[in-house]
Amino acid sequence: MKSIVSAFALCLVSAIALANNPTYEWEKTRARFTLTPKEESLTELILKQHVQYEYVFIDEAFLMYSTTHRIIYVNSNEAIQKHNRIVISMNNALELVDLKARAINKDGKSVYFDKSNLKELKEEESGNAYRIFAIEGVEMGSEIEYYYTRKMYPGLFERAYMQSDVVIKNSSFMLSCPKHLKFDFKSYNGYESVKEQEKEDEEKNVYRVSMTNVSPMKEESYSNYDANRKRIEFKLAYNTARSQARLYTWDDAAKKFYNVLSENSKDDEKALEKFIKTLGDNPSDKTEVRIRKIESKIKTTIQVNTERGDENLSKIESILKYKIASREGVTKLFMTLFTKLKINCYPVVTCSRENAKFDAGFDSWGYLDDYILYFPDTKGFLAPYSFESRYPLVPSQFTSQKGLFIEPFVMGDLKSALGSVQDIPAADYQLNVDNMDINASFSDDFSTVIVDHTRSFSGYNAIYIAPYYNVMTEEQRTKLIDELTKGIAPDATIKTWKAKVDDGKDVLSFDITTTYHSTHFIEKAGPRFLFKVGQLIGPQSEMYRDDERVTDIENDYNRGYARVIKVKIPDGYSFKNLNDLNFDVAYLDKNEKPFLFHSSYSLNGNALEIKIDEYYKQIYAPLARYEDYRKVINAAADFNKVTLVLEKVK
């Protein structure tokens, strides 16, 4: 995506001014920060965090100089270990222009970083490059300070995170650019707004913002850390040397991405016609069946390389010949193929909500990270380069999110596209299940529980099993069944098992049936036996900690769990505490119950039947309802701990 955006973006920037290389400097000699007693007692504190972007033309080359400057107070061994090793990403960077680092101890003595100790690291597979160094002389109570400046290809759509997992005492941001260029900014999650500085520099536009005592953001369960951090999105919005028109709108993006995905050579067309004959596509089949068949063919024959930048990986003729494609290339293959087969489809470009919520009101192409395909006739989606995700599901982080829908149109000889930001809905909870049907009985001496267990995964719950199962060896399949079974009963002895993938449902599913023996669920306690019936459903998520929460609830995907447990009670015995099986915990929202855990039992002679219904029907819940949501999650964990007392009938 970055290469597409950059190639188009830079052609709209006029070079009408020259500049010298920007320079950044710290205070060569400075006093230590004066801290309050509360600050001194902290294990770590970011005293200063400054980021700046300087856009310049040098010898008619448009460049960006990116500087990061941090000062960190470290007051524990853990903090020292966390902060004394610095990693600088060189992705998209032309050169590390400047680097300085030092440690200032409690007595004010400074130990400076020796640049000869700077190490270079490059990952062979991804090609990602880094500069790595350690800061010497760090003691308890030291201030670690460093800054670095990179000369980079200009990023015209950028994102700056302004919040960390510790307090930031002084946070600041600056951007400068030639006078004829104007940037727009938007701050999120409570960070101050960026303002243009009037008359600060006659030759430049300068934008600044600062904020003190930025509270820490901690990792929280059912929450996306980066998306909730304070951040700044910014984009190049105007080039007044050319016109007053806004640059890089959603419509501009739609046209550009559509052109990239629809341009094919004559060799591409020939290769496609030949490939179509191998598909066995039947136009009379249901659209959903045709889509799944084509998807399976491509995903099991074409390898996607997400790292390499080889141009041939985006050319259909080369893709079909060598069976390897880029993300853009395989998306083009899918889209062109569906178009030729008259299956109505068009691309959507979005980003992971783990990183940021797509903001329709701020037209930054920084949100345009990933492709998915939309089928308006079936309302389904397809993820072209995610092997695990199969139609109609796409990776869950792209759902309950907005995206740029690119709808093609033809007007005479003109082929183009219109863009509109729309919702990518989350899949219904009934598509993503992990259901269990369990029959349990006891050996004659009560030392072992004999379990017949049928388990059905579907949708996202099957995503890392179903697409792979049919290509596994028998040894791999046996290992998989063993791991799934022992995830519930660690000492299980598996007697029989069978499994299958079912692609005839609305979503791909995986079904497994096992018979196993286990001593894990039964214990002797004097004349009684303790039956850990709750553990038959396997470990459950827990939210027992009482740390103050700061973010809304956000689920990865909607999901449901239907479980039936049937227990054969031995003759002459009964369970003492069956009411412990009854749970009724619901999150109420007006007349709806979007989250629920309900369990109940019935007794018919020596047959005990337990029914459990658990579901999560929506992605979000507000922070104000955190306790209500937590009760539902913990109800499942509490059921998992239920132990029935089995005793002789008197």
Side-chain angles (χ1 to χ4, degrees), residues 3 37 45 77 130 162 221 404 479 483 498 524 609 636:
S3 61
L45 171 65
N77 289 327
Y130 304 92
M162 306 302 291
S221 56
L404 179 64
K479 183 179 179 181
E483 289 176 350
K498 60 181 180 179
K524 186 171 175 57
E609 181 173 283

Side-chain angles (χ1 to χ4, degrees), residues 300-354:
T300 54
T301 57
I302 305 295
Q303 179 184 347
V304 178
N305 189 312
T306 61
E307 307 295 348
R308 287 171 53 193
D310 187 343
E311 261 187 37
N312 288 323
L313 298 183
S314 62
K315 295 178 179 178
I316 289 177
E317 186 270 339
S318 177
I319 292 169
L320 294 177
K321 182 177 180 179
Y322 297 106
K323 311 301 181 189
I324 185 168
S326 64
R327 299 194 310 173
E328 172 194 316
V330 78
T331 304
K332 180 192 289 189
L333 174 61
F334 268 112
M335 198 179 90
T336 308
L337 198 54
F338 286 129
T339 300
K340 283 188 171 294
L341 295 173
K342 300 189 186 308
I343 297 174
N344 192 15
C345 117
Y346 46 84
V348 178
V349 197
T350 188
C351 63
S352 169
R353 59 180 159 91
E354 293 174 351

Side-chain angles (χ1 to χ4, degrees), residues 627-642:
E627 286 300 326
D628 297 321
Y629 180 86
R630 189 168 76 148
K631 288 176 183 176
V632 177
I633 291 287
N634 286 341
D638 291 341
F639 182 90
N640 183 243
K641 297 175 176 62
V642 171

